[in-house]
Amino acid sequence: SLHLALAREAGVPLEAGIVARVEPALLTTLASDKGLPWEDRLDAAEAAAARSLLSARDLAEIYRQAIVAGAGDSNPRVSAFAVSLEAPDQTTRLGAIASAFEETPVDLWPATLPAFAGSLRAIAPTMAHADNSVFMTEALALLGDAARADGWIGIATTTAPGEVARLETLVRIATPAQSSFVMPWNPDVALRSVEVRLDEGDREAKWLTAFEMQALASLGVPVPQVVWAQFDDAEMPGVRLDEQALRALRVAAQDRRAGEAALATLTALSSIESDGALAQTRPADLTPGSLAAIITALVRSGLEEDARRVAVEALIVRAHGEG
């Protein structure tokens, strides 16, 4: 804060790359700093949104300001936002948004997609948008709009049949409500589906299936016991929480205290050593069993909505190979 204040007082430009080094509390200040190039301001705004320091409405307003200032080409999300405001038809708007998010690291989706929520929710699931049915299902699930995400599965069944099982699981995890397009949960049918996916898929597909089954089970969905024989958490990719962290999560789940569960989750994710130093770990970095321990603690302490959001984000990151 002192460095920033002195630089402003002296009229000295901030050095390049400051957004990557600044304290998170200053990100919103940098996002509104007219002395910074728009590229840095947008980086600061999106980093602030990723930390919930900036609302979706505020991020959308910064995108709009960048467009007015002629900086629409400095960021793919800003370019897509301009099209979403100006294009006369839904096909053009959706195409621009989907293309922008193909260029966007999936880790940044939860922070930046809400700025496009109005445009995305206004697009009806029709065969005219079939090429983007998978993206729309994932995007709406991330936005917490599982009812609309559900409608896109009917389109995906004809255009991306290989993705349907994963998308159905995503919708089941995103909401406790019954789906219109997803078949009612049946453990026997689920077992056959899992076996088909394991037989036909590679090792990455097995890992993703393990994540899905563990997430469903931790949300109280009955998963066939024989499925667990297919998955050894010790052989799964990712970081395994240590016994102390797992014990804290179990205690929080047993006591059903929301604050304790949230604290245990944050402690578990921020106390893992990486190359000898403490590092912040994302839920998507965990093994399926460790992720399930967090989801279980949150669900049993009354934070089911948060648990579902954590699971959806982690599964989408894993599905895109960025876990």
Side-chain angles (χ1 to χ4, degrees):
S1 298
L2 178 61
H3 178 91
L4 179 60
L6 289 173
R8 280 180 163 172
E9 185 68 23
V12 177
L14 297 174
E15 64 267 27
I18 191 172
V19 173
R21 302 195 306 277
V22 74
E23 287 294 321
L26 294 175
L27 288 169
T28 53
T29 301
L30 292 182
S32 61
D33 190 334
K34 296 181 180 178
L36 279 179
W38 266 108
E39 185 176 354
D40 290 333
R41 289 182 64 181
L42 291 166
D43 286 347
E46 292 180 338
R51 292 168 173 79
S52 299
L53 300 173
L54 201 66
S55 70
R57 179 176 296 179
D58 290 337
L59 180 60
E61 175 58 21
I62 290 175
Y63 285 164
R64 189 193 65 78
Q65 292 174 12
I67 294 166
V68 172
D73 294 335
S74 60
N75 178 299
R77 269 89 53 203
V78 175
S79 300
F81 195 79
V83 175
S84 73
L85 294 177
E86 299 166 1
D89 61 282
Q90 291 185 345
T91 301
T92 303
R93 291 198 293 271
L94 177 53
I97 295 171
S99 295
F101 279 91
E102 283 182 5
E103 301 178 41
T104 302
V106 72
D107 266 354
L108 201 54
W109 285 22
T112 55
L113 267 170
F116 297 85
S119 296
L120 293 173
R121 287 178 173 138
I123 299 173
T126 67
M127 291 304 297
H129 310 310
D131 290 345
N132 293 310
S133 58
V134 173
F135 166 73
M136 283 297 292
T137 306
E138 293 178 328
L140 289 166
L142 277 173
L143 291 172
D145 199 338
R148 283 188 172 89
D150 182 34
W152 284 91
I153 292 180
I155 307 299
T157 54
T158 60
T159 59
E163 296 280 357
V164 169
R166 176 177 73 85
L167 297 177
E168 287 181 341
T169 301
L170 197 63
V171 169
R172 283 193 179 100
I173 289 172
T175 177
Q178 178 60 48
S179 164
S180 300
F181 292 91
V182 179
M183 292 290 292
W185 179 260
N186 182 311
D188 295 330
V189 174
L191 175 58
R192 289 195 292 274
S193 175
V194 168
E195 289 174 340
V196 169
R197 293 177 69 183
L198 293 178
D199 289 341
E200 296 180 351
D202 55 14
R203 194 166 73 149
E204 182 66 30
K206 178 177 180 179
W207 292 341
L208 183 57
T209 304
F211 267 95
E212 293 175 3
M213 292 301 105
Q214 289 272 33
L216 285 169
S218 60
L219 288 166
V221 176
V223 174
Q225 288 296 318
V226 69
V227 167
W228 304 119
Q230 306 276 0
F231 308 121
D232 181 353
D233 204 57
E235 298 177 356
M236 293 289 121
V239 178
R240 297 184 73 195
L241 296 178
D242 61 30
E243 188 53 42
Q244 182 177 355
L246 292 172
R247 188 182 307 113
L249 289 167
R250 285 195 295 269
V251 170
Q254 291 168 1
D255 293 346
R256 301 181 185 276
R257 296 176 180 173
E260 190 174 335
L263 181 59
T265 298
L266 291 173
T267 301
L269 293 175
S270 60
S271 61
I272 298 170
E273 288 195 4
S274 176
D275 297 326
L278 294 181
Q280 185 72 34
T281 304
R282 309 165 304 167
D285 295 325
L286 300 175
T287 61
S290 294
L291 176 63
I294 287 175
I295 296 172
T296 300
L298 294 175
V299 169
R300 292 185 180 177
S301 60
L303 299 173
E304 181 174 337
E305 184 177 346
D306 298 279
R308 291 182 182 277
R309 188 179 303 114
V310 168
V312 166
E313 291 182 12
L315 286 172
I316 289 178
V317 171
R318 279 290 180 182
H320 285 261
E322 298 187 27

